Amino acid sequence: MGNNLTNHSHTRPADLLVPNWVLGKPAAFDLSVTSPLNPTTLLEASVTTGVAALTTELKKHSSDTKYKELDWICVPLVVESYGAWGRVALESISQLASRLATCLS
């Protein structure tokens, strides 16, 4: 397939594409909102904050074949409906803020 979207597909591979994220590779930021009240995570989410977000992050990473074909990094930005952000999202937002601070100083 190559390293670009020349096949004119109508799919949207990323909510936000950052062309040079890590080691010169583009990153596809994929924003998702999930609910801790989902029956598949409800029991564990009732005692552990962020379980629904973590579950969705893992699901996104396990189905990122389209990103691998394009040689992009998949960055799931997952937030729970009650406000808890996923670990990958928090790390990525922190990294982005650090880069912006460096550029603006």
Side-chain angles (χ1 to χ4, degrees):
M1 176 178 265
N3 198 16
N4 57 36
L5 294 176
T6 57
N7 65 350
H8 302 293
S9 168
H10 293 290
T11 62
R12 189 180 69 196
D15 292 314
L16 174 67
L17 180 64
V18 177
N20 187 12
W21 184 243
V22 175
L23 300 173
K25 287 189 173 188
F29 286 81
D30 188 1
L31 182 60
S32 298
V33 178
T34 189
S35 173
L37 301 179
N38 184 317
T40 60
T41 58
L42 180 60
L43 184 60
E44 198 172 353
S46 68
V47 292
T48 307
T49 302
V51 167
L54 175 62
T55 302
T56 303
E57 284 178 344
L58 294 173
K59 189 184 306 181
K60 293 282 186 180
H61 275 299
S62 69
S63 65
D64 70 353
T65 56
K66 63 184 172 186
Y67 305 118
K68 288 179 183 173
E69 289 175 7
L70 295 167
D71 200 27
W72 292 356
I73 299 167
C74 172
V75 183
L77 300 179
V78 182
V79 63
E80 293 183 359
S81 56
Y82 290 113
W85 284 87
R87 180 188 54 80
V88 173
L90 291 173
E91 290 171 359
S92 298
I93 291 167
S94 176
Q95 187 176 9
L96 183 59
S98 176
R99 288 181 181 198
L100 286 172
T102 301
C103 291
L104 297 175
S105 61

